[in-house]
Amino acid sequence: MLDRLPFLVGLRYVRAKRRNHFISFISLTSMLGLMLGVAVLILVLSVMNGFDHELRTRILGMVPHTKIESQEGLVEWEALAEQLVQRDRVIGAAPYVEQQGMFSAGGRNQGAMVNGIHPDWEDQVSIIGEHMRQGELADLVPGEWNVVLGSMLARRLGVGVGDRVTLLVPEASITPAGVFPRLKRFTVSGIFSVGADLDANLAYANIEDMQTLARMGDAVGGLRLELDDLFIAGSETQAIVNELGPGYSGSDWTFSHGNLFQAIQMEKRMIALLLTVIIAVAAFNIVSTLVMVVTDKRADIAILRTIGATPGSIMGIFIVQGLAIGLIGIAVGVTVGILLALTISDLIGWFETAFGIQFLDAGVYFISDLPSRLEWSDVRDIVLAAFGLTFLSTLYPAWRAARVQPADVLRYE
């Protein structure tokens, strides 16, 4: 019976209606604080995970993991592509020609990066084909001078499929009449949208058309490689360059978007740390609750000691009571946090539709909707951290209860 005493009495104290309403209020406050802290931490980390996932799948799905270039351009690029795909970590390769330029249509101008691609190879290294709103990559036929624009770029130019746009490239053509900028008229054959800033500054054309425009002959600018793990891009790029020898160079996604990814990771850690403080404050409110309960129950503690309860059993009573309060708050917080994490995208979407408000501008935040990705490992870590803080908060009050001397208390009863 005495072995079960801490659980029986501790849980009874949790269920009992206290004469001291202030103690009940502090207990409720502690429980609500834990619930709120756990729920908010799960929600925020899920949103940060969502941003991280969107960065990897959307932006890095369009941006090459690795680019291999040659100082004189790549002429026999097909043989090199087949050679590189044989490597264990390379899962795809495609040629490209990059050209920075300015599109003009109807008096509107917008700068963009134009990627010359081979439509039959591009799906090995890019998700562009999965995000075509209008048209297809197959419409980029050599010699027809078609172009695929990002949705935001097309909107800023005020053009749609079938319209004509002029591309101005920062290279001059010398003619008997003087020096003129190089211009070329394209027909918009498709529009893509990935919901990121790439929609505003990226366009695709056929690689042969871009070779002609850049006067590169049969050479391409380089090869874009897709790896099975984007986090090995740096080491794999260096290994490939060393294997190919002099004359070749490489770059990876960390040069263009690495800072964004690192910023998201840093923000996730800092936000998790700050929100953990909320849980800690709520957990240590349990200290106040239990100290007041110990003071209120000194006579009960003395009676239990006189009938044979050990100091360890008395400590266990108040540890069980504190953990019960904490576990209720943690359980409710986990439930609320998981429900919010799974539905926050739909809730924000409904709110934007209902009130005509856009929370995320793709030009600023890289994506246009609020992502959320629940990671069960995060839930586990949050629960363990909250439980650990709750347990620590019960030790001092329980120790105080175990030191109560029955003779001193019962002398005045």
Short mmCIF file of all heavy atoms in Angstrom, two decimals, residues 68 73-78 81 93-99 114-122 125 137-148 167 184 186 189 203-224:
data_model
loop_
_atom_site.label_atom_id
_atom_site.label_comp_id
_atom_site.label_asym_id
_atom_site.label_seq_id
_atom_site.Cartn_x
_atom_site.Cartn_y
_atom_site.Cartn_z
N ILE A 68 28.85 22.47 -64.08
CA ILE A 68 30.21 22.20 -64.57
C ILE A 68 30.40 22.99 -65.86
O ILE A 68 29.60 22.86 -66.80
CB ILE A 68 30.44 20.70 -64.81
CG1 ILE A 68 30.21 19.91 -63.52
CG2 ILE A 68 31.85 20.47 -65.34
CD1 ILE A 68 31.13 20.28 -62.39
N GLY A 73 33.95 26.65 -73.35
CA GLY A 73 32.66 26.08 -73.70
C GLY A 73 32.75 24.58 -73.91
O GLY A 73 33.83 24.05 -74.19
N LEU A 74 31.63 23.91 -73.79
CA LEU A 74 31.58 22.46 -73.96
C LEU A 74 30.99 22.14 -75.33
O LEU A 74 29.86 22.50 -75.62
CB LEU A 74 30.73 21.82 -72.86
CG LEU A 74 31.22 21.99 -71.42
CD1 LEU A 74 30.23 21.34 -70.45
CD2 LEU A 74 32.60 21.39 -71.24
N VAL A 75 31.76 21.45 -76.15
CA VAL A 75 31.28 21.07 -77.48
C VAL A 75 30.77 19.63 -77.45
O VAL A 75 29.63 19.35 -77.82
CB VAL A 75 32.40 21.24 -78.53
CG1 VAL A 75 31.90 20.78 -79.90
CG2 VAL A 75 32.86 22.68 -78.58
N GLU A 76 31.58 18.73 -76.96
CA GLU A 76 31.17 17.32 -76.85
C GLU A 76 30.46 17.09 -75.51
O GLU A 76 30.87 16.27 -74.70
CB GLU A 76 32.41 16.41 -76.98
CG GLU A 76 33.18 16.59 -78.27
CD GLU A 76 32.37 16.17 -79.49
OE1 GLU A 76 31.47 15.31 -79.33
OE2 GLU A 76 32.64 16.68 -80.59
N TRP A 77 29.39 17.82 -75.30
CA TRP A 77 28.74 17.78 -74.00
C TRP A 77 27.97 16.49 -73.74
O TRP A 77 27.82 16.07 -72.60
CB TRP A 77 27.81 18.98 -73.84
CG TRP A 77 26.67 19.05 -74.83
CD1 TRP A 77 26.68 19.71 -76.01
CD2 TRP A 77 25.40 18.43 -74.70
NE1 TRP A 77 25.47 19.56 -76.64
CE2 TRP A 77 24.67 18.78 -75.86
CE3 TRP A 77 24.80 17.63 -73.73
CZ2 TRP A 77 23.36 18.34 -76.07
CZ3 TRP A 77 23.50 17.19 -73.94
CH2 TRP A 77 22.80 17.54 -75.09
N GLU A 78 27.48 15.84 -74.78
CA GLU A 78 26.71 14.60 -74.58
C GLU A 78 27.60 13.51 -73.99
O GLU A 78 27.18 12.79 -73.07
CB GLU A 78 26.10 14.15 -75.90
CG GLU A 78 25.02 15.08 -76.43
CD GLU A 78 24.30 14.48 -77.63
OE1 GLU A 78 24.25 13.23 -77.73
OE2 GLU A 78 23.79 15.24 -78.45
N ALA A 81 28.24 14.36 -70.39
CA ALA A 81 27.06 14.14 -69.57
C ALA A 81 26.90 12.65 -69.24
O ALA A 81 26.62 12.27 -68.09
CB ALA A 81 25.81 14.64 -70.29
N ALA A 93 21.78 14.95 -65.72
CA ALA A 93 22.62 16.00 -66.31
C ALA A 93 21.90 16.60 -67.51
O ALA A 93 21.14 15.91 -68.21
CB ALA A 93 23.99 15.45 -66.73
N ALA A 94 22.11 17.89 -67.72
CA ALA A 94 21.47 18.58 -68.86
C ALA A 94 22.32 19.77 -69.24
O ALA A 94 22.90 20.44 -68.38
CB ALA A 94 20.05 19.02 -68.50
N PRO A 95 22.39 20.08 -70.56
CA PRO A 95 23.18 21.24 -71.00
C PRO A 95 22.41 22.54 -70.80
O PRO A 95 21.18 22.54 -70.68
CB PRO A 95 23.39 20.95 -72.48
CG PRO A 95 22.15 20.21 -72.88
CD PRO A 95 21.78 19.36 -71.69
N TYR A 96 23.13 23.63 -70.79
CA TYR A 96 22.47 24.93 -70.65
C TYR A 96 23.33 26.02 -71.29
O TYR A 96 24.55 25.87 -71.46
CB TYR A 96 22.22 25.27 -69.18
CG TYR A 96 23.47 25.62 -68.42
CD1 TYR A 96 23.92 26.94 -68.33
CD2 TYR A 96 24.23 24.63 -67.80
CE1 TYR A 96 25.07 27.26 -67.64
CE2 TYR A 96 25.38 24.93 -67.10
CZ TYR A 96 25.80 26.25 -67.03
OH TYR A 96 26.96 26.56 -66.36
N VAL A 97 22.66 27.10 -71.62
CA VAL A 97 23.31 28.36 -72.01
C VAL A 97 22.58 29.46 -71.25
O VAL A 97 21.37 29.63 -71.41
CB VAL A 97 23.21 28.61 -73.53
CG1 VAL A 97 23.75 30.01 -73.85
CG2 VAL A 97 23.99 27.56 -74.30
N GLU A 98 23.28 30.19 -70.41
CA GLU A 98 22.68 31.26 -69.63
C GLU A 98 22.96 32.61 -70.28
O GLU A 98 24.06 32.86 -70.76
CB GLU A 98 23.22 31.27 -68.19
CG GLU A 98 22.68 30.18 -67.31
CD GLU A 98 23.16 30.30 -65.88
OE1 GLU A 98 24.11 31.07 -65.63
OE2 GLU A 98 22.59 29.63 -65.01
N GLN A 99 21.95 33.46 -70.26
CA GLN A 99 22.09 34.79 -70.83
C GLN A 99 21.27 35.79 -70.02
O GLN A 99 20.05 35.65 -69.92
CB GLN A 99 21.64 34.82 -72.29
CG GLN A 99 21.80 36.16 -72.97
CD GLN A 99 23.27 36.54 -73.17
OE1 GLN A 99 23.99 35.89 -73.91
NE2 GLN A 99 23.69 37.59 -72.50
N VAL A 114 17.76 34.30 -68.81
CA VAL A 114 17.21 33.40 -69.81
C VAL A 114 18.08 32.15 -69.86
O VAL A 114 19.29 32.24 -70.12
CB VAL A 114 17.14 34.05 -71.20
CG1 VAL A 114 16.45 33.11 -72.19
CG2 VAL A 114 16.40 35.38 -71.14
N ASN A 115 17.47 31.01 -69.60
CA ASN A 115 18.17 29.73 -69.66
C ASN A 115 17.88 29.04 -70.98
O ASN A 115 16.71 28.73 -71.27
CB ASN A 115 17.75 28.81 -68.50
CG ASN A 115 18.43 29.17 -67.20
OD1 ASN A 115 19.42 29.88 -67.19
ND2 ASN A 115 17.90 28.66 -66.11
N GLY A 116 18.92 28.81 -71.75
CA GLY A 116 18.77 28.00 -72.94
C GLY A 116 18.85 26.54 -72.55
O GLY A 116 19.87 26.10 -71.99
N ILE A 117 17.80 25.77 -72.81
CA ILE A 117 17.73 24.38 -72.35
C ILE A 117 17.42 23.45 -73.50
O ILE A 117 16.92 23.86 -74.55
CB ILE A 117 16.66 24.20 -71.25
CG1 ILE A 117 15.27 24.54 -71.80
CG2 ILE A 117 16.98 25.05 -70.03
CD1 ILE A 117 14.12 24.18 -70.86
N HIS A 118 17.71 22.18 -73.29
CA HIS A 118 17.30 21.13 -74.22
C HIS A 118 16.04 20.49 -73.63
O HIS A 118 16.11 19.84 -72.58
CB HIS A 118 18.41 20.09 -74.37
CG HIS A 118 18.27 19.21 -75.56
ND1 HIS A 118 17.16 18.41 -75.77
CD2 HIS A 118 19.08 19.02 -76.65
CE1 HIS A 118 17.29 17.75 -76.90
NE2 HIS A 118 18.45 18.10 -77.46
N PRO A 119 14.87 20.65 -74.26
CA PRO A 119 13.62 20.16 -73.67
C PRO A 119 13.63 18.68 -73.33
O PRO A 119 12.97 18.26 -72.37
CB PRO A 119 12.58 20.47 -74.75
CG PRO A 119 13.15 21.60 -75.53
CD PRO A 119 14.63 21.36 -75.52
N ASP A 120 14.38 17.87 -74.08
CA ASP A 120 14.40 16.43 -73.83
C ASP A 120 15.28 16.05 -72.64
O ASP A 120 15.15 14.95 -72.10
CB ASP A 120 14.90 15.69 -75.08
CG ASP A 120 13.96 15.87 -76.26
OD1 ASP A 120 12.76 16.12 -76.02
OD2 ASP A 120 14.42 15.78 -77.42
N TRP A 121 16.17 16.93 -72.22
CA TRP A 121 17.10 16.64 -71.12
C TRP A 121 16.73 17.35 -69.82
O TRP A 121 17.13 16.95 -68.75
CB TRP A 121 18.53 17.04 -71.51
CG TRP A 121 19.14 16.19 -72.57
CD1 TRP A 121 18.74 16.03 -73.85
CD2 TRP A 121 20.30 15.35 -72.42
NE1 TRP A 121 19.56 15.18 -74.53
CE2 TRP A 121 20.54 14.75 -73.67
CE3 TRP A 121 21.16 15.08 -71.36
CZ2 TRP A 121 21.61 13.87 -73.89
CZ3 TRP A 121 22.23 14.20 -71.57
CH2 TRP A 121 22.43 13.61 -72.82
N GLU A 122 15.96 18.43 -69.93
CA GLU A 122 15.77 19.32 -68.79
C GLU A 122 15.10 18.65 -67.59
O GLU A 122 15.39 18.99 -66.44
CB GLU A 122 14.96 20.55 -69.22
CG GLU A 122 14.85 21.64 -68.17
CD GLU A 122 16.18 22.26 -67.81
OE1 GLU A 122 17.17 22.07 -68.57
OE2 GLU A 122 16.26 22.95 -66.76
N VAL A 125 17.07 17.45 -64.43
CA VAL A 125 17.70 18.33 -63.44
C VAL A 125 16.77 19.41 -62.93
O VAL A 125 17.16 20.20 -62.06
CB VAL A 125 18.96 19.01 -64.04
CG1 VAL A 125 19.99 17.97 -64.43
CG2 VAL A 125 18.60 19.88 -65.24
N LEU A 137 7.24 22.49 -72.38
CA LEU A 137 8.64 22.70 -72.77
C LEU A 137 8.90 22.20 -74.19
O LEU A 137 9.80 22.70 -74.87
CB LEU A 137 9.57 21.98 -71.79
CG LEU A 137 9.67 22.56 -70.38
CD1 LEU A 137 10.67 21.76 -69.56
CD2 LEU A 137 10.08 24.03 -70.42
N ALA A 138 8.11 21.22 -74.62
CA ALA A 138 8.29 20.69 -75.98
C ALA A 138 8.01 21.75 -77.04
O ALA A 138 8.41 21.59 -78.21
CB ALA A 138 7.39 19.48 -76.19
N ASP A 139 7.32 22.84 -76.67
CA ASP A 139 7.05 23.92 -77.63
C ASP A 139 8.30 24.74 -77.94
O ASP A 139 8.28 25.56 -78.87
CB ASP A 139 5.96 24.85 -77.08
CG ASP A 139 4.63 24.13 -76.91
OD1 ASP A 139 4.37 23.18 -77.66
OD2 ASP A 139 3.86 24.53 -76.01
N LEU A 140 9.37 24.54 -77.18
CA LEU A 140 10.61 25.26 -77.44
C LEU A 140 11.35 24.55 -78.58
O LEU A 140 12.33 23.82 -78.38
CB LEU A 140 11.47 25.31 -76.17
CG LEU A 140 10.86 26.04 -74.97
CD1 LEU A 140 11.79 25.98 -73.77
CD2 LEU A 140 10.56 27.50 -75.33
N VAL A 141 10.87 24.77 -79.78
CA VAL A 141 11.42 24.12 -80.98
C VAL A 141 12.56 24.98 -81.54
O VAL A 141 12.42 26.22 -81.63
CB VAL A 141 10.32 23.94 -82.04
CG1 VAL A 141 10.89 23.28 -83.30
CG2 VAL A 141 9.17 23.13 -81.47
N PRO A 142 13.68 24.37 -81.91
CA PRO A 142 14.80 25.15 -82.46
C PRO A 142 14.38 25.95 -83.69
O PRO A 142 13.68 25.44 -84.56
CB PRO A 142 15.84 24.08 -82.82
CG PRO A 142 15.48 22.88 -82.00
CD PRO A 142 14.00 22.93 -81.82
N GLY A 143 14.79 27.20 -83.74
CA GLY A 143 14.54 28.05 -84.89
C GLY A 143 13.23 28.80 -84.84
O GLY A 143 13.02 29.75 -85.63
N GLU A 144 12.32 28.43 -83.93
CA GLU A 144 11.05 29.14 -83.83
C GLU A 144 11.10 30.29 -82.84
O GLU A 144 10.15 31.06 -82.74
CB GLU A 144 9.93 28.16 -83.45
CG GLU A 144 9.65 27.12 -84.53
CD GLU A 144 8.38 26.36 -84.26
OE1 GLU A 144 7.68 26.68 -83.27
OE2 GLU A 144 8.06 25.44 -85.05
N TRP A 145 12.16 30.37 -82.07
CA TRP A 145 12.39 31.48 -81.14
C TRP A 145 11.20 31.66 -80.18
O TRP A 145 10.65 32.75 -80.05
CB TRP A 145 12.69 32.79 -81.88
CG TRP A 145 13.94 32.69 -82.71
CD1 TRP A 145 14.03 32.37 -84.03
CD2 TRP A 145 15.28 32.87 -82.25
NE1 TRP A 145 15.34 32.35 -84.43
CE2 TRP A 145 16.15 32.66 -83.35
CE3 TRP A 145 15.85 33.22 -81.01
CZ2 TRP A 145 17.53 32.77 -83.26
CZ3 TRP A 145 17.22 33.33 -80.93
CH2 TRP A 145 18.05 33.11 -82.03
N ASN A 146 10.86 30.56 -79.55
CA ASN A 146 9.84 30.60 -78.52
C ASN A 146 10.49 30.77 -77.15
O ASN A 146 11.66 30.43 -76.95
CB ASN A 146 9.01 29.31 -78.53
CG ASN A 146 8.14 29.20 -79.77
OD1 ASN A 146 7.73 30.21 -80.33
ND2 ASN A 146 7.88 27.97 -80.20
N VAL A 147 9.72 31.27 -76.20
CA VAL A 147 10.23 31.48 -74.85
C VAL A 147 9.14 31.15 -73.84
O VAL A 147 7.95 31.36 -74.09
CB VAL A 147 10.72 32.93 -74.66
CG1 VAL A 147 9.57 33.92 -74.75
CG2 VAL A 147 11.48 33.10 -73.35
N VAL A 148 9.56 30.58 -72.70
CA VAL A 148 8.66 30.29 -71.58
C VAL A 148 9.00 31.26 -70.46
O VAL A 148 10.15 31.34 -70.04
CB VAL A 148 8.81 28.83 -71.10
CG1 VAL A 148 8.02 28.60 -69.82
CG2 VAL A 148 8.36 27.86 -72.18
N LEU A 167 13.92 40.62 -76.51
CA LEU A 167 15.00 40.40 -75.55
C LEU A 167 16.20 41.24 -75.94
O LEU A 167 16.71 41.13 -77.07
CB LEU A 167 15.38 38.92 -75.50
CG LEU A 167 16.58 38.57 -74.60
CD1 LEU A 167 16.26 38.88 -73.14
CD2 LEU A 167 16.97 37.10 -74.76
N LYS A 184 16.45 40.53 -80.01
CA LYS A 184 15.82 39.41 -80.68
C LYS A 184 14.37 39.31 -80.22
O LYS A 184 14.06 39.43 -79.04
CB LYS A 184 16.56 38.10 -80.35
CG LYS A 184 16.02 36.91 -81.13
CD LYS A 184 16.17 37.12 -82.64
CE LYS A 184 15.53 36.01 -83.45
NZ LYS A 184 15.66 36.23 -84.90
N PHE A 186 11.03 37.24 -79.50
CA PHE A 186 10.59 35.90 -79.11
C PHE A 186 9.07 35.86 -79.06
O PHE A 186 8.41 36.88 -78.83
CB PHE A 186 11.15 35.52 -77.73
CG PHE A 186 12.60 35.15 -77.73
CD1 PHE A 186 13.59 36.12 -77.66
CD2 PHE A 186 12.98 33.81 -77.78
CE1 PHE A 186 14.93 35.78 -77.65
CE2 PHE A 186 14.31 33.46 -77.76
CZ PHE A 186 15.30 34.44 -77.70
N SER A 189 5.52 31.07 -75.63
CA SER A 189 4.85 29.79 -75.91
C SER A 189 4.39 29.09 -74.64
O SER A 189 3.69 28.08 -74.72
CB SER A 189 5.81 28.86 -76.66
OG SER A 189 6.95 28.56 -75.86
N ALA A 203 13.42 32.85 -67.31
CA ALA A 203 12.75 32.48 -68.57
C ALA A 203 13.54 31.34 -69.20
O ALA A 203 14.73 31.16 -68.92
CB ALA A 203 12.65 33.68 -69.51
N TYR A 204 12.86 30.59 -70.07
CA TYR A 204 13.50 29.47 -70.75
C TYR A 204 13.30 29.60 -72.25
O TYR A 204 12.23 29.97 -72.73
CB TYR A 204 12.89 28.14 -70.29
CG TYR A 204 13.24 27.77 -68.86
CD1 TYR A 204 12.41 28.16 -67.82
CD2 TYR A 204 14.37 27.03 -68.58
CE1 TYR A 204 12.72 27.82 -66.51
CE2 TYR A 204 14.69 26.69 -67.28
CZ TYR A 204 13.86 27.08 -66.25
OH TYR A 204 14.17 26.74 -64.96
N ALA A 205 14.37 29.26 -72.98
CA ALA A 205 14.31 29.22 -74.44
C ALA A 205 15.06 27.97 -74.90
O ALA A 205 15.72 27.29 -74.10
CB ALA A 205 14.93 30.47 -75.05
N ASN A 206 14.93 27.66 -76.18
CA ASN A 206 15.64 26.49 -76.69
C ASN A 206 17.14 26.76 -76.71
O ASN A 206 17.59 27.87 -77.03
CB ASN A 206 15.15 26.15 -78.09
CG ASN A 206 15.76 24.85 -78.60
OD1 ASN A 206 16.86 24.83 -79.14
ND2 ASN A 206 15.03 23.76 -78.41
N ILE A 207 17.93 25.75 -76.38
CA ILE A 207 19.37 25.94 -76.25
C ILE A 207 20.01 26.31 -77.59
O ILE A 207 20.97 27.09 -77.63
CB ILE A 207 20.01 24.67 -75.66
CG1 ILE A 207 21.46 24.96 -75.25
CG2 ILE A 207 19.92 23.48 -76.63
CD1 ILE A 207 22.08 23.85 -74.42
N GLU A 208 19.47 25.80 -78.71
CA GLU A 208 20.06 26.13 -80.02
C GLU A 208 19.80 27.59 -80.37
O GLU A 208 20.66 28.26 -80.96
CB GLU A 208 19.50 25.19 -81.10
CG GLU A 208 19.90 23.74 -80.91
CD GLU A 208 19.44 22.87 -82.05
OE1 GLU A 208 19.16 23.41 -83.16
OE2 GLU A 208 19.37 21.64 -81.87
N ASP A 209 18.63 28.09 -80.01
CA ASP A 209 18.34 29.51 -80.24
C ASP A 209 19.28 30.39 -79.42
O ASP A 209 19.78 31.40 -79.90
CB ASP A 209 16.89 29.82 -79.89
CG ASP A 209 15.91 29.14 -80.83
OD1 ASP A 209 16.33 28.74 -81.94
OD2 ASP A 209 14.73 29.00 -80.46
N MET A 210 19.52 29.99 -78.18
CA MET A 210 20.40 30.79 -77.33
C MET A 210 21.85 30.67 -77.78
O MET A 210 22.62 31.63 -77.64
CB MET A 210 20.26 30.34 -75.88
CG MET A 210 18.87 30.60 -75.28
SD MET A 210 18.34 32.32 -75.47
CE MET A 210 19.58 33.14 -74.45
N GLN A 211 22.25 29.53 -78.32
CA GLN A 211 23.60 29.41 -78.88
C GLN A 211 23.77 30.38 -80.05
O GLN A 211 24.82 31.03 -80.19
CB GLN A 211 23.84 27.97 -79.36
CG GLN A 211 24.07 26.97 -78.23
CD GLN A 211 24.15 25.55 -78.76
OE1 GLN A 211 23.38 25.15 -79.64
NE2 GLN A 211 25.08 24.77 -78.22
N THR A 212 22.75 30.47 -80.88
CA THR A 212 22.80 31.40 -82.01
C THR A 212 22.86 32.84 -81.52
O THR A 212 23.66 33.65 -82.02
CB THR A 212 21.57 31.21 -82.91
OG1 THR A 212 21.52 29.86 -83.38
CG2 THR A 212 21.62 32.16 -84.09
N LEU A 213 22.03 33.17 -80.53
CA LEU A 213 22.00 34.53 -80.01
C LEU A 213 23.32 34.91 -79.35
O LEU A 213 23.80 36.04 -79.49
CB LEU A 213 20.86 34.68 -79.00
CG LEU A 213 20.62 36.08 -78.44
CD1 LEU A 213 20.22 37.04 -79.55
CD2 LEU A 213 19.54 36.04 -77.36
N ALA A 214 23.94 33.95 -78.65
CA ALA A 214 25.21 34.23 -77.96
C ALA A 214 26.42 33.98 -78.85
O ALA A 214 27.55 34.16 -78.39
CB ALA A 214 25.31 33.35 -76.71
N ARG A 215 26.18 33.53 -80.10
CA ARG A 215 27.26 33.28 -81.06
C ARG A 215 28.27 32.28 -80.50
O ARG A 215 29.48 32.49 -80.53
CB ARG A 215 27.97 34.58 -81.44
CG ARG A 215 27.05 35.60 -82.10
CD ARG A 215 27.74 36.90 -82.37
NE ARG A 215 26.84 37.86 -82.99
CZ ARG A 215 27.17 39.12 -83.27
NH1 ARG A 215 28.39 39.57 -82.98
NH2 ARG A 215 26.30 39.93 -83.84
N MET A 216 27.75 31.17 -80.00
CA MET A 216 28.58 30.15 -79.39
C MET A 216 28.83 28.96 -80.30
O MET A 216 29.56 28.03 -79.93
CB MET A 216 27.93 29.65 -78.08
CG MET A 216 27.77 30.70 -77.03
SD MET A 216 26.99 30.07 -75.52
CE MET A 216 28.19 28.86 -74.98
N GLY A 217 28.23 28.95 -81.46
CA GLY A 217 28.40 27.80 -82.34
C GLY A 217 27.74 26.56 -81.77
O GLY A 217 26.58 26.59 -81.35
N ASP A 218 28.48 25.45 -81.74
CA ASP A 218 27.95 24.20 -81.21
C ASP A 218 28.23 24.03 -79.72
O ASP A 218 27.82 23.02 -79.13
CB ASP A 218 28.54 23.01 -81.97
CG ASP A 218 28.12 22.99 -83.44
OD1 ASP A 218 27.00 23.48 -83.71
OD2 ASP A 218 28.88 22.49 -84.28
N ALA A 219 28.92 24.96 -79.11
CA ALA A 219 29.28 24.83 -77.70
C ALA A 219 28.11 25.24 -76.81
O ALA A 219 27.26 26.05 -77.20
CB ALA A 219 30.51 25.69 -77.39
N VAL A 220 28.08 24.67 -75.61
CA VAL A 220 27.10 25.06 -74.60
C VAL A 220 27.84 25.68 -73.43
O VAL A 220 29.05 25.54 -73.28
CB VAL A 220 26.27 23.85 -74.13
CG1 VAL A 220 25.51 23.22 -75.30
CG2 VAL A 220 27.15 22.81 -73.44
N GLY A 221 27.08 26.40 -72.61
CA GLY A 221 27.71 27.07 -71.48
C GLY A 221 28.24 26.12 -70.44
O GLY A 221 29.21 26.41 -69.73
N GLY A 222 27.61 24.95 -70.30
CA GLY A 222 28.04 23.98 -69.31
C GLY A 222 26.97 22.93 -69.11
O GLY A 222 26.00 22.83 -69.87
N LEU A 223 27.17 22.12 -68.07
CA LEU A 223 26.22 21.07 -67.72
C LEU A 223 25.67 21.32 -66.32
O LEU A 223 26.41 21.67 -65.40
CB LEU A 223 26.90 19.69 -67.75
CG LEU A 223 27.26 19.12 -69.12
CD1 LEU A 223 28.02 17.81 -68.94
CD2 LEU A 223 26.02 18.91 -69.98
N ARG A 224 24.36 21.17 -66.18
CA ARG A 224 23.71 21.24 -64.88
C ARG A 224 23.53 19.81 -64.39
O ARG A 224 23.06 18.95 -65.12
CB ARG A 224 22.37 21.93 -64.98
CG ARG A 224 22.45 23.34 -65.54
CD ARG A 224 21.09 23.86 -65.93
NE ARG A 224 20.19 23.96 -64.77
CZ ARG A 224 18.90 24.19 -64.87
NH1 ARG A 224 18.34 24.31 -66.07
NH2 ARG A 224 18.16 24.29 -63.80
#
